[in-house]
């Protein structure tokens, strides 16, 4: 079984069923399958080989979904890159995995034009969008999406005459890589999580099992496909033959709500920041969302008060609290019937997966004791691309000879019945909005601003984000910096989620005996302050 | 023109446009990667404060806010309807 079989089997079973709805267009399974077959044949005709990496740098769109299946059908490995990536990181990633081709949109030219000449592996760039917007001098050998689509017609004609199977012939087996997903690394550079077809099929199957998805399900997806949570909405729906209502973003919540009403959406995956905005909307209850069967949350735990209000605003829907990390997609989910008793828990391992908490020697610990969470299952990644050392630290021998289990680096404890409670990170990575952010990456970005003498980035507790990013800054003599000027600089350098939320200017920062910035003292200050506030609030009551 | 300049200035100062390409009047703020849900709320707060009217939740749609042109049209319509309302109130008194 291969990942693209999800689409192929649904196209066989439900050819005329709507698979994808986006910006007023509705494509059925047969159309999606044909479009991706043609992309696959075209990629092959251009010399793309089994195992080659092909990057997709697009906003959520029909082309992004067609591309990912087309790439798989060509036996290649797809990369869904965040549409908010900046030039430097895009170039790093494409070089790191030696991408052979890039599929992007003419509106992204302002980022993409900066990589030409710096990524030697890249053989061609495919542009969707408005042809007129490409100044040819900018791009060596641009290819336009509509050329592939018209090439398509030619090849379909050819297929009809030849009367052979319309599916491109594949050599891959389920141990081959399907995707590489880049995630923050502690050095400041992103790491590529290698996932096989088997990894992804296993994760999708487990999640579908506990969500009890059926072909009648209609899922609204406002999450970027570069985020595995957004990507899996499409993969899973294509597996069970459902329909995905794909939106470009959550920026306009009312647009999403109206789509949910119009399309009679049954499943709504969200993250805490989205729910916080929805709960601020005054008249949300007046919309008829009677079809909504379930809501899922992941990335960070929901505040207990938000859980209560979400259930009040959407009484018809069941709420699933979940937790995961890119290295294995999903770790756990809280069965909805447990929500009242254990609202602070992220639940237990999903079907066909085993999870437990270990001490520093790798021994299983009992309830109430904090330790590192480990994950055992077919959903666990193959490692980090081109980084065997980090891979060996994270994937370690499991109970059966030769097998590897995942050491997540996330600290957890369990209750007497084995339900999991998140405690924090083992390393100094910050977990904000469900994204891991390396303090080093943010500090590097800050140091690139002239006028910053010293910078230290640490996490602070945040009800909605899980953790928020705080930057302590010591300005150079003679420079006057403001929050605004620093933030503007950060926004240019970093993806949105990695931009600090709080900035504090200081005359100096505490140092360790070896002269490094003493982050532990800074963290301690924040904890003391939080405790003080808590105490004061307690007294006021 | 005054209106367009004010809006453009706010967007260019608060959201980051990579490279030196100028934001076209009809360019989508979303597609240019300039704005997300927090950005939309910042933009809304700015418009409400500058032009002294309230934007209803339902008006938070790309048709009203996703390009400089859309924003200008929306603000003009809102201002003229507020003005009409003001005139009626004055007349009724």
């Amino acid at each position: 079984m291969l990942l693209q079989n999800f689409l192929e089997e649904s196209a066989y079973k439900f050819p005329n069923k709507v698979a994808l709805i986006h910006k007023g267009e509705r494509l059925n399974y047969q159309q999606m399958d044909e479009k991706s077959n043609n992309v696959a044949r075209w990629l092959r005709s251009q010399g793309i080989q089994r195992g080659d990496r092909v990057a997709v740098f697009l906003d959520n769109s029909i082309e992004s979904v067609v591309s990912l299946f087309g790439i798989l059908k060509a036996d290649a490995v797809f990369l869904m890159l965040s549409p908010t990536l900046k030039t430097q990181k895009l170039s790093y990633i494409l070089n790191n995995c030696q991408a052979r081709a890039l599929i992007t949109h003419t509106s992204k030219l302002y980022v993409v034009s900066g990589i030409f000449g710096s990524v030697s592996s890249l053989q061609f760039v495919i542009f969707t969008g408005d042809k007129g917007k490409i100044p040819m001098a900018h791009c060596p050998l641009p290819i336009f999406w509509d050329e592939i689509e018209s090439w398509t017609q030619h090849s379909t004609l050819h297929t009809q005459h030849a009367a052979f199977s319309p599916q491109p012939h594949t050599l891959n087996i389920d141990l081959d890589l399907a995707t590489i997903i880049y995630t923050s690394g502690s050095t400041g550079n992103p790491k590529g999580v290698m996932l096989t077809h088997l990894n992804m099929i296993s994760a999708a199957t487990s999640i579908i099992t506990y969500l009890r998805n059926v072909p009648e399900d209609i899922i609204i997806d406002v999450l970027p496909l570069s985020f595995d949570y957004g990507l899996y909405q499409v993969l899973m729906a294509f597996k069970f033959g459902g329909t995905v209502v794909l939106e470009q973003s959550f920026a306009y919540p009312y647009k999403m709500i109206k789509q949910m009403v119009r399309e009679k959406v049954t499943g709504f995956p969200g993250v805490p920041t989205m729910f916080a905005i929805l709960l601020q909307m005054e008249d949300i209850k007046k919309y008829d969302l009677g079809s909504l069967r379930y809501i899922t949350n992941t990335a960070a735990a929901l505040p207990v008060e938000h859980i209560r209000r979400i259930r009040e605003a959407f009484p018809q829907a069941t709420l699933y609290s979940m937790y995961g990390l890119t290295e294995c997609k999903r770790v756990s989910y809280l069965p909805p019937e447990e929500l009242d008793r254990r609202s602070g828990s992220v639940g237990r391992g999903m079907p066909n997966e085993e999870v437990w908490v270990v001490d520093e020697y790798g021994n299983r610990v009992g309830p109430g004791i904090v330790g590192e969470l480990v994950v055992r299952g077919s959903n666990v990644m193959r490692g980090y691309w081109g980084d065997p050392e980090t891979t060996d630290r994270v994937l370690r021998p499991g109970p059966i000879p030769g097998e590897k289990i995942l050491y997540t680096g996330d600290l957890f404890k369990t209750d007497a019945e084995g339900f999991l409670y998140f405690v924090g990170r083992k390393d100094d990575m910050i977990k904000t909005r469900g994204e891991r952010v390396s303090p080093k990456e943010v500090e590097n970005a800050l140091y690139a601003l002239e006028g910053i003498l010293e910078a230290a980035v640490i996490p602070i507790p945040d009800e909605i984000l899980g953790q928020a990013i705080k930057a302590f800054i010591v300005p150079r003599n003679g420079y006057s910096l403001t929050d605004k000027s620093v933030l503007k600089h950060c926004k240019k350098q970093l993806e949105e989620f990695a931009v600090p939320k709080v900035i504090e200017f200081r005359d100096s920062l505490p140092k360790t005996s070896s002269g490094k910035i003493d982050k532990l003292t800074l963290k301690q200050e924040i904890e003391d302050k939080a405790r003080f506030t808590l105490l004061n609030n307690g007294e006021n009551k | 023109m005054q209106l367009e300049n004010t809006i453009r200035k706010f967007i260019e100062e608060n959201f980051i446009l990579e490279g030196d390409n100028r934001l076209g009047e009809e360019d989508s703020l979303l597609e240019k990667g300039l704005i997300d849900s927090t950005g939309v709320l910042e933009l809304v707060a700015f418009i409400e404060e500058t032009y002294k009217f309230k934007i209803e939740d339902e008006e938070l749609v790309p048709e009203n806010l996703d390009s400089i042109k859309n924003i200008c049209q929306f603000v003009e319509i809102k201002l003229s309807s507020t003005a009409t309302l003001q005139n009626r109130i004055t007349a009724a008194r």
Side-chain angles (χ1 to χ4, degrees), chain B residues 1-10 22-23 25 51 68-69 72-73 75-76 79:
Chain B
M1 219 39 212
Q2 173 66 37
L3 176 64
E4 189 189 322
N5 287 340
T6 311
I7 300 288
R8 180 181 288 281
K9 188 159 173 275
F10 173 79
R22 194 174 151 83
L23 185 64
E25 200 195 8
Y51 298 102
I68 290 183
K69 191 177 177 185
C72 291
Q73 282 173 350
V75 171
E76 273 167 6
L79 285 178

Side-chain angles (χ1 to χ4, degrees), chain A residues 214-229:
Chain A
V214 289
E216 291 71 34
D217 273 330
I218 300 165
I219 317 294
I220 184 119
D221 192 3
V222 297
L223 306 156
L225 299 188
S226 52
F227 180 21
D228 61 0
Y229 188 27

Side-chain angles (χ1 to χ4, degrees), chain A residues 23 59 85-87 105 107-108 110-111 133 248-255 258 277 280-283 286-287 433 484 488 491-492 496, chain B residues 12-19 21 27-38 40-42 54 57-58 60-63 65-66:
Chain A
K23 286 191 177 168
D59 289 304
L85 269 188
K86 306 295 186 266
T87 304
H105 190 277
S107 68
K108 302 267 178 254
Y110 66 103
V111 182
K133 287 198 176 163
Q248 189 174 329
S249 86
F250 179 68
Y252 298 98
Y254 264 89
K255 192 168 166 261
K258 283 179 183 162
I277 288 175
Q280 278 172 20
M281 293 170 23
E282 287 150 16
D283 50 357
K286 82 172 193 204
Y287 289 92
R433 292 198 210 171
K484 213 173 167 181
K488 187 163 181 173
K491 283 185 187 173
K492 269 188 201 170
E496 190 67 32
Chain B
E12 289 180 349
E13 277 181 3
N14 289 276
F15 307 118
I16 308 302
L17 200 59
E18 258 199 59
N21 62 336
D27 282 345
S28 157
L29 303 183
L30 260 186
E31 277 176 17
K32 282 269 176 184
L34 283 172
I35 209 162
D36 63 357
S37 52
T38 329
V40 171
L41 297 180
E42 286 169 24
K54 184 171 176 350
D57 284 347
E58 289 204 325
L60 300 180
V61 289
E63 292 75 21
L65 299 166
D66 197 39

Side-chain angles (χ1 to χ4, degrees), chain A residues 227-464:
Chain A
F227 180 21
D228 61 0
Y229 188 27
L231 173 67
Y232 269 76
Q233 304 309 324
V234 174
L235 300 178
M236 298 190 309
F238 280 26
K239 176 168 164 61
F240 61 75
T243 300
V244 179
V245 182
L246 187 65
E247 294 286 297
Q248 189 174 329
S249 86
F250 179 68
Y252 298 98
Y254 264 89
K255 192 168 166 261
M256 178 194 79
I257 296 282
K258 283 179 183 162
Q259 272 293 64
M260 288 171 75
V261 173
R262 191 181 309 130
E263 300 295 347
K264 299 189 169 56
V265 161
T266 65
F268 171 34
V271 293
T273 43
M274 285 165 52
F275 294 117
I277 288 175
L278 285 178
L279 290 175
Q280 278 172 20
M281 293 170 23
E282 287 150 16
D283 50 357
I284 192 151
K285 284 180 198 163
K286 82 172 193 204
Y287 289 92
D288 177 15
L289 293 168
S291 310
L292 195 62
R293 181 173 77 74
Y294 71 87
I295 296 174
T296 58
N297 175 65
T298 188
L302 282 167
V304 175
E305 173 62 9
H306 284 190
I307 294 181
R308 188 187 65 75
R309 288 174 56 202
I310 290 168
R311 292 166 93 194
E312 192 185 278
F314 307 101
Q316 67 284 19
T318 310
L319 176 61
Y320 290 84
S321 269
M322 318 186 297
Y323 153 78
L325 62 168
T326 314
E327 285 80 349
C328 64
K329 166 61 197 155
R330 180 75 33 81
V331 173
S332 64
Y333 76 104
L334 184 67
E337 59 275 15
E338 295 286 345
L339 201 54
D340 288 319
R341 286 206 296 153
R342 307 175 217 265
S343 54
S345 169
V346 293
R348 285 198 284 212
M350 43 178 201
N352 195 32
E353 180 205 53
E354 216 181 335
V355 301
W356 64 93
V357 177
V358 298
D359 63 17
E360 53 192 306
Y361 307 106
N363 300 316
R364 217 178 262 248
V365 298
I369 298 169
V370 175
E372 183 172 3
L373 187 79
V374 296
V375 179
R376 176 173 184 251
S378 308
N379 52 324
V380 170
M381 66 161 181
R382 288 298 300 172
Y384 299 112
W385 179 268
D387 190 354
E389 278 168 35
T390 315
T391 302
D392 286 345
R393 274 205 297 276
V394 170
L395 295 182
R396 295 187 226 161
I400 294 177
E403 82 163 315
K404 292 286 174 70
I405 56 175
L406 172 69
Y407 281 67
T408 61
D410 280 346
L411 298 174
F412 269 86
K413 60 182 180 187
T414 62
D415 63 18
E417 281 101 337
F419 285 86
L420 297 162
Y421 296 80
F422 180 74
V423 178
R425 282 289 301 173
K426 205 176 144 196
D427 51 23
D428 71 343
M429 297 287 273
I430 300 173
K431 216 162 180 183
T432 183
R433 292 198 210 171
E435 304 267 5
R436 267 174 298 177
V437 175
S438 148
K440 183 129 187 179
E441 183 186 356
V442 184
E443 286 159 7
N444 288 345
L446 286 168
Y447 280 121
L449 180 64
E450 211 189 333
I452 290 189
L453 181 67
E454 282 179 336
V457 167
I458 60 167
I460 54 171
D462 184 286
E463 204 186 25
I464 307 293

